[in-house]
Amino acid sequence: MRGYQSGIQVQHQIFSDATDGDFLFLRQMGIEHVAVMFRDQHTDYDSVMRFLERVRKNKLIVDDAGNRSIHKNAAVHLGLAGRDEGIEKYIAFGRILSQGGVPVTYLTWEPNGVLSTEASGIGQFSREAPSRLVDIDQLAALPFSHGRAFSREEVWENFQYFLRQVLPEFESMGMKIALHPNDPPVPQLKGIGNLIISSGDYRRAFSLAGDSPCLGMKLCVGCWLEGGPSFGNVLEDIREFVGKGKVLTVHFRNVSSPVPRFEETLLEDGYMDMFQVMQEFVQSGYTGPMTVDHVPEYVLSHGGKQAAFAYSIGYMKALLHCAEGICAKA
Ligand SMILES: [Mn+2]
């Protein structure tokens, strides 16, 4: 069996109600690393420890973990009533993960979640497989989600408030935050200013954090490509942020074009050459986890979403092996 000489870890996401069949499926694909999304009812100390033990018994390594309600909390992101309780919860959950030996947790400053025109629609570019479709003009017509407009500056102030409470705690426990961009990365949606819509926003966030090693990123290649030039040059940004030790995990995904309209596609079908992206990760010396975050969904009689993930993960693994072979010869 071949390992990965680059040190990049092929990872897949599981939920905290994963079955033995889910674990077996991962081992059969040759995956040894997992990202765990804890369900709301599984975020207490005992549930987390029980699940982590089960994962390890299944010979899998947990690189990072989170819980959607804790890392996407409107009260925290918008400075509403309940913000301090939300931040306390974030710190408490981070402490539990840290005690369980999980070194990284998530953050996306996205009180309305990932927005799509259709989360699972048939577009033009995904070979008849339902996939995520986004039309920014249509999203822009949606009403305010939280009663009024929240400017980007106001949202940045809330982020700064969060960092002030969380960073000292996380520094003392050696816990890290993988900050994901806003998806789709446009200035505002539903009246809410978006925090991270460019590589420049990441630089601003890291500087606000005083370059604390506790704040890093989930480098979502998909979001970079959705934003296109206004997000940044993905190849140059990989080199920069890997070089600075800021990339804690990677989402490997392609899209049909940059905003205002895009569809999620198979890795080989989008507008980016994903082999170039993979070579950049290998050449820049990235050694962390890498996962496929979303996929077009295959027909249910042939494995549905699981088959779609297996296909894309296999494709990503092949690109990694090829990139390692080429980089070793160079
Ligand atoms: Mn992503």
Side-chain angles (χ1 to χ4, degrees):
M1 286 188 215
R2 280 183 72 168
Y4 297 100
Q5 72 217 34
S6 63
I8 291 175
Q9 299 135 19
V10 172
Q11 187 200 53
H12 191 35
Q13 183 182 295
I14 57 171
F15 287 87
S16 56
D17 50 8
T19 62
D20 289 343
D22 292 330
F23 292 129
L24 180 58
F25 177 59
L26 294 179
R27 292 199 300 274
Q28 289 172 336
M29 284 194 288
I31 291 175
E32 295 169 355
H33 290 260
V34 289
V36 180
M37 200 60 87
F38 282 91
R39 303 282 189 199
D40 289 348
Q41 65 273 27
H42 298 149
T43 56
D44 62 286
Y45 181 89
D46 288 345
S47 304
V48 170
M49 295 306 153
R50 230 183 353 257
F51 187 71
L52 291 176
E53 198 187 313
R54 234 186 106 214
V55 175
R56 284 168 189 144
K57 270 192 187 143
N58 277 278
K59 303 185 189 78
L60 295 162
I61 297 161
V62 182
D63 308 295
D64 40 78
N67 163 265
R68 273 203 191 113
S69 314
I70 292 174
H71 72 252
K72 292 189 187 181
N73 181 330
V76 174
H77 300 343
L78 302 179
L80 308 175
R83 152 160 74 172
D84 289 329
E85 292 87 326
I87 292 175
E88 276 165 32
K89 252 189 171 171
Y90 190 91
I91 294 169
F93 186 57
R95 182 165 291 119
I96 293 173
L97 292 176
S98 168
Q99 287 166 337
V102 180
V104 174
T105 190
Y106 313 139
L107 183 66
T108 316
W109 214 257
E110 199 167 64
N112 292 316
V114 173
L115 290 176
S116 312
T117 317
E118 287 183 66
S120 185
I122 304 273
Q124 297 173 54
F125 303 105
S126 65
R127 302 179 184 270
E128 302 174 62
S131 77
R132 176 168 170 247
L133 315 180
V134 174
D135 180 335
I136 296 298
D137 294 338
Q138 282 189 42
L139 293 182
L142 297 174
F144 291 164
S145 59
H146 289 77
R148 66 172 175 92
F150 293 75
S151 70
R152 289 196 73 206
E153 279 319 300
E154 186 177 355
V155 164
W156 272 94
E157 277 167 28
N158 295 335
F159 178 61
Q160 188 166 17
Y161 182 91
F162 170 89
L163 291 179
R164 253 189 254 125
Q165 326 289 321
V166 173
L167 287 180
E169 301 283 345
F170 272 34
E171 276 162 9
S172 74
M173 54 178 120
M175 188 70 188
K176 294 187 177 187
I177 301 170
L179 177 62
H180 190 284
N182 287 83
D183 188 356
V186 293
Q188 63 86 26
L189 289 166
K190 292 189 164 189
I192 312 288
N194 283 326
L195 187 80
I196 303 288
I197 61 172
S198 71
S199 48
D201 289 330
Y202 271 116
R203 291 182 199 104
R204 180 179 177 187
F206 296 145
S207 131
L208 261 189
D211 280 319
S212 166
C214 293
L215 184 65
M217 62 164 77
K218 240 191 210 184
L219 196 161
C220 182
V221 176
C223 288
W224 245 265
L225 298 177
E226 290 168 18
S230 80
F231 201 114
N233 180 311
V234 70
L235 301 177
E236 288 170 12
D237 291 339
I238 289 169
R239 210 168 312 146
E240 174 187 337
F241 291 118
V242 170
K244 289 178 175 164
K246 286 298 180 188
V247 182
L248 301 179
T249 180
V250 171
H251 283 175
F252 200 74
R253 173 162 57 89
N254 209 347
V255 296
S256 58
S257 63
V259 288
R261 270 178 300 282
F262 67 86
E263 296 177 17
E264 294 186 349
T265 65
L266 293 182
L267 288 169
E268 67 268 42
D269 285 342
Y271 81 92
M272 188 66 198
D273 174 356
M274 295 303 281
F275 185 49
Q276 253 188 303
V277 172
M278 186 62 88
Q279 280 182 283
E280 197 59 64
F281 278 111
V282 173
Q283 275 161 5
S284 65
Y286 178 63
T287 56
M290 181 178 283
T291 185
V292 172
D293 58 348
H294 314 153
V295 286
E297 251 173 278
Y298 291 161
V299 61
L300 218 51
S301 59
H302 289 70
K305 201 148 198 153
Q306 297 291 3
F309 269 117
Y311 176 91
S312 286
I313 292 168
Y315 192 92
M316 180 178 84
K317 287 176 74 165
L319 290 185
L320 176 53
H321 278 306
C322 292
E324 288 176 338
I326 283 179
C327 297
K329 276 182 215 141

